[in-house]
Amino acid sequence: MLAPTAFRGLSACLRASSAGVVRSSFFAGIALVTLAACGATTRTENPGAGGEGGETWSAGPGVGGAGAGGAGGTGAGPSGLQSLEHIDLGEIPLNTLQPFDVPDRALGLTVAVGAADVNDVVGISRLRPPSGEPVIFNYAMPDKTNLAFANYGWVGGANPQSDAANAWPMQQGQWRIALGDDDGSLKSAHVDVWIRRTKDGLFHGGVVDVNVFIAPNASTQNYVNQVLSDMFVDYAGLGLGKVTFLPLAANFTTVDDYNEYRNLLASSAGAGDAPALNLFVIGSFGSEFGQAIGVAGGIPGSPALHGTTMSGVAYMPSGNPQYDATVLRHEVGHLSGLFHTTEFSVEETDPLSDTDECPTSVIQSNPDNCPDITNTMFPIAYGALDLTEAQKRVLQGSALYRGILEQGAEPAPPLPPSGAKVASPPSPLAPEPPFAIVATRRPNKPLPANPSSLERVLGAVWCAHGKGDYEALAIRIAGAAAPSTLRALVLDDKASELIRARALGAYVRVSQGDERTRATKLAETLATQETASTDLRVAALRSLARFAPSKARQSAATAAQSGDPVVRSVAWNLRGK
């Protein structure tokens, strides 16, 4: 029998974690608890005809789940094999091992756990296959320190996320899951499971439907379509499905902190059918995100249940669609369950045996020398496209897509909207003219094809899940001449706007004395210059807010009148600070 140990201190750790990914090691062991089982209701991607009743069962004491009628429609009946089977475990008590069945020919499973209050911390302490050790143990992958499976309100888990013998191939039979909380105050949480299958247990492809929520003037539909088209070229055998463009409230033009980010993802409640990638296209991220241009809702997130705080990816267009496609490949990899090949800020690697790894001393000094530099999931990826076979299996076992049951068949139809977060979907945006131009000025300047080490770091993903100080890395690589080198990049109007903007932040940071005065003067000029790009002006405002607050307020007062809606939004938020 196991006695639960609360994971005290988790809330503080989460607050300190800019990406909501916990890295401390304060979770002590959790002893065994008496097994208890709840009711389970099964729904499927291909609903049975005529609304046949779903099965309700209980294997022991616990909170009972109510049976649900099957949705009407075509496709296989309740006993037939489905591409994506949904098991609603209902509310299950914490610190118990809750069983659920995984049938044969499964490629993977995805779990979404939701607490009633999004301010409660909840975690997956165990995910145990029928035989062998757990695939999630003490809120982390076995033998790893990254406590990825705990968060505020919602948390996800999946298998396979490693290629260990207990994780792959997928085991048929009774799996068990146990949850924990921060201080023992949370009594239960809702658990949904999705199981990915094919007729022969082999992957045959699938398509990813995308709901694109665009903030006013953040981008155009034509631009995003180009990014998505580039993204799904040779992406683990997954293709692009239906793309729906939906409006996003103007208050999400800039996302300044993680509370706003969670609210942004939760606004997907009316997104409609699932599974789907909810892609939120915004104007700018705040300083909490470390100058990232894309942030995923979790590792994994929730592509099959909309309206949660992990339901999608938020993204800030760079003006370079090919580059943006590589950023989204990285973030959608996280959403599907992939970790970084090598972490930047801690000595940690992913749990896959076929991915290259980089020593911490190398990645933190000169990542050009890392063997995993060309992998999509490298934390400082620069146009990287590579995926290993094990990484592809993680994507193919996820709930991200509408799967193909057998060779030559069509992708399965979507699941109907379900769960507590069902809402009426907003009206899709009307198609735009072929040559629509977005109001924001983010010039489409390509990144260097053969970058220097400094350009490569400044133009890399800068993934928020890595919690790395990538700006400090750029300063180290710039060396003793960092101020002059970085200033020259800022002033190079032929360079990529992304590189110039990040160089500006590093330049202001590293400058001292008279050089700091020159740097802040340059930032003041750029912040108020209407002909400067969105990225440069935003970087200038945020750099002034960090290192010259009084000058930031003065510049923000002028920039708040800008015709650029992103600059205007950032400036308004900084005026009173």
Side-chain angles (χ1 to χ4, degrees):
M1 173 176 215
L2 298 179
T5 19
F7 37 2
R8 290 181 172 83
L10 178 57
S11 293
C13 181
L14 281 169
R15 283 191 294 270
S17 169
S18 62
V21 177
V22 192
R23 299 186 183 280
S24 299
S25 58
F26 51 75
F27 283 99
I30 295 186
L32 280 180
V33 271
T34 307
L35 285 176
C38 310
T41 302
T42 301
R43 303 190 189 95
T44 58
E45 189 170 271
N46 299 332
E52 295 190 35
E55 181 183 10
T56 301
W57 58 274
S58 178
V63 182
T74 59
S79 60
L81 188 149
Q82 310 298 328
S83 172
L84 191 63
E85 181 178 289
H86 177 201
I87 305 174
D88 183 350
L89 294 179
E91 289 286 322
I92 72 168
L94 269 62
N95 304 308
T96 67
L97 281 168
Q98 164 68 38
F100 62 93
D101 286 331
V102 172
D104 62 354
R105 293 166 286 177
L107 300 182
L109 65 85
T110 302
V111 177
V113 179
D117 188 331
V118 294
N119 295 313
D120 285 332
V121 177
V122 65
I124 301 172
S125 63
R126 299 286 191 278
L127 182 60
R128 184 185 294 276
S131 64
E133 296 300 315
V135 296
I136 294 176
F137 181 74
N138 277 2
Y139 314 96
M141 299 297 295
D143 302 320
K144 300 294 179 180
T145 60
N146 183 355
L147 303 181
F149 305 105
N151 213 332
Y152 286 113
W154 289 91
V155 67
N159 190 75
Q161 288 185 268
S162 81
D163 56 354
N166 58 332
W168 182 260
M170 280 287 298
Q171 294 186 37
Q172 174 186 354
Q174 189 179 86
W175 285 64
R176 289 171 289 173
I177 186 171
L179 312 178
D181 74 334
D182 182 27
D183 58 7
S185 61
L186 190 65
K187 302 304 179 187
S188 66
H190 197 106
V191 178
D192 289 276
V193 181
W194 289 267
I195 299 173
R196 172 69 62 194
R197 300 177 76 197
T198 63
K199 285 190 174 180
D200 57 4
L202 301 175
F203 174 72
H204 297 292
V207 295
V208 179
D209 294 338
V210 185
N211 299 314
V212 183
F213 296 82
I214 302 184
N217 295 309
S219 187
T220 66
Q221 296 178 36
N222 295 332
Y223 180 89
V224 176
N225 274 326
Q226 186 177 354
V227 172
L228 291 173
S229 178
D230 289 340
M231 175 190 167
F232 284 99
V233 174
D234 192 24
Y235 193 53
L238 299 175
L240 180 61
K242 178 183 177 183
V243 179
T244 304
F245 287 91
L246 300 162
L248 186 61
N251 60 293
F252 289 125
T253 296
T254 58
V255 177
D256 290 311
D257 55 42
Y258 273 91
N259 284 332
E260 287 187 23
Y261 173 73
R262 287 186 282 268
N263 290 336
L264 172 72
L265 299 191
S267 73
S268 63
D273 293 338
L277 166 63
N278 295 317
L279 180 61
F280 297 88
V281 183
I282 66 168
S284 178
F285 285 107
S287 57
E288 279 193 16
F289 300 88
Q291 299 189 58
I293 74 168
V295 184
I299 310 176
S302 178
L305 183 63
H306 305 312
T308 80
T309 55
M310 55 181 190
S311 294
V313 169
Y315 145 74
M316 182 190 84
S318 73
N320 186 317
Q322 293 77 28
Y323 173 79
D324 289 2
T326 67
V327 172
L328 291 186
R329 286 167 68 101
H330 181 103
E331 299 304 333
V332 173
H334 281 319
L335 195 76
S336 301
L338 287 174
F339 292 93
H340 289 151
T341 50
T342 301
E343 292 295 349
F344 179 79
S345 57
V346 294
E347 292 190 30
E348 184 77 283
T349 59
D350 73 17
L352 300 172
S353 62
D354 67 348
T355 54
D356 288 324
E357 302 173 357
C358 188
T360 302
S361 60
V362 175
I363 195 173
Q364 292 184 357
S365 60
N366 189 357
D368 276 353
N369 294 330
C370 288
D372 45 345
I373 191 173
T374 62
N375 193 284
T376 292
M377 300 311 298
F378 190 66
I380 324 172
Y382 182 98
L385 300 175
D386 292 351
L387 288 168
T388 67
E389 291 306 308
Q391 287 176 315
K392 292 176 184 178
R393 282 199 297 267
V394 173
L395 285 160
Q396 293 164 0
S398 74
L400 177 68
Y401 63 97
R402 293 189 288 116
I404 297 173
L405 280 171
E406 58 184 333
Q407 193 67 35
E410 294 296 315
L415 290 157
S418 63
K421 294 291 184 180
V422 174
S424 298
S427 298
L429 293 172
E432 64 192 12
F435 302 105
I437 299 175
V438 68
T440 54
R441 290 173 300 281
R442 190 168 280 121
N444 186 358
K445 296 178 183 176
L447 277 80
N450 298 297
S452 67
S453 295
L454 177 59
E455 289 172 327
R456 192 199 167 285
V457 168
L458 289 171
V461 169
W462 289 24
C463 182
H465 283 285
K467 289 178 58 183
D469 190 344
Y470 306 114
E471 190 177 76
L473 173 63
I475 292 169
R476 285 199 297 274
I477 289 176
S484 59
T485 300
L486 292 165
R487 183 183 178 90
L489 271 175
V490 176
L491 296 174
D492 183 1
D493 60 7
K494 295 182 175 61
S496 157
E497 300 301 319
L498 179 67
I499 288 178
R500 294 179 71 192
R502 287 174 170 172
L504 176 60
Y507 170 48
V508 178
R509 174 175 170 176
V510 74
S511 300
Q512 301 293 329
D514 291 342
E515 190 65 37
R516 171 64 65 83
T517 301
R518 290 184 73 211
T520 54
K521 183 63 177 178
L522 177 59
E524 287 181 275
T525 300
L526 291 171
T528 56
Q529 185 176 314
E530 281 292 297
T531 57
S533 72
T534 304
D535 295 301
L536 264 179
R537 297 187 69 187
V538 169
L541 286 167
R542 297 201 188 282
S543 295
L544 291 170
R546 290 169 67 192
F547 301 108
S550 64
K551 296 182 183 298
R553 288 190 289 271
Q554 295 170 16
S555 296
T558 301
Q561 309 305 315
S562 172
D564 185 323
V566 176
V567 172
R568 189 167 63 244
S569 178
V570 172
W572 272 100
N573 290 337
L574 292 177
R575 285 183 70 187
K577 295 183 179 180

